[in-house]
Amino acid sequence: MRKLTTVRLPKYMLTDLNSEARRQDISVSKLIENITEAYMYQQPNPDTLAALEEARSGVEMEELTDKDLEDFEANVANL
């Protein structure tokens, strides 16, 4: 169920939203819905955030070998 809502936005933002909506060939309303949904419901979960932080920190990072790469390529080829 949808409900009509009014929001106040700076002119530059509305201009940018209009441009992006035209680029995607959707309405500004749909664009705002998509952006809001992505922000509200598609955020990484705590485990993913922790893994990202660990990867960025470089702590306990292991170096991949040529064998690791070959195994990875073989697994991808089998998909």
Side-chain angles (χ1 to χ4, degrees):
M1 180 167 133
R2 296 173 187 260
K3 181 174 166 118
L4 180 63
T5 304
T6 301
V7 295
R8 295 181 190 276
L9 300 171
K11 286 182 183 181
Y12 77 88
M13 192 178 292
L14 187 54
T15 299
D16 291 347
L17 285 167
N18 278 308
S19 296
E20 183 60 20
R22 275 193 304 277
R23 189 184 74 74
Q24 293 187 30
D25 196 28
I26 60 176
S27 69
V28 172
S29 179
K30 183 63 178 169
L31 178 61
I32 292 171
E33 181 181 341
N34 292 348
I35 292 168
T36 304
E37 184 172 319
Y39 179 81
M40 297 285 295
Y41 305 113
Q42 296 177 7
Q43 297 294 314
N45 65 37
D47 290 338
T48 301
L49 290 172
L52 288 169
E53 182 59 35
E54 179 182 333
R56 288 183 184 124
S57 73
V59 174
E60 296 187 28
M61 297 291 287
E62 63 182 87
E63 192 168 322
L64 296 177
T65 65
D66 289 340
K67 173 83 168 91
D68 293 326
L69 182 56
E70 290 169 7
D71 291 346
F72 173 75
E73 288 171 342
N75 286 331
V76 170
N78 289 327
L79 293 178

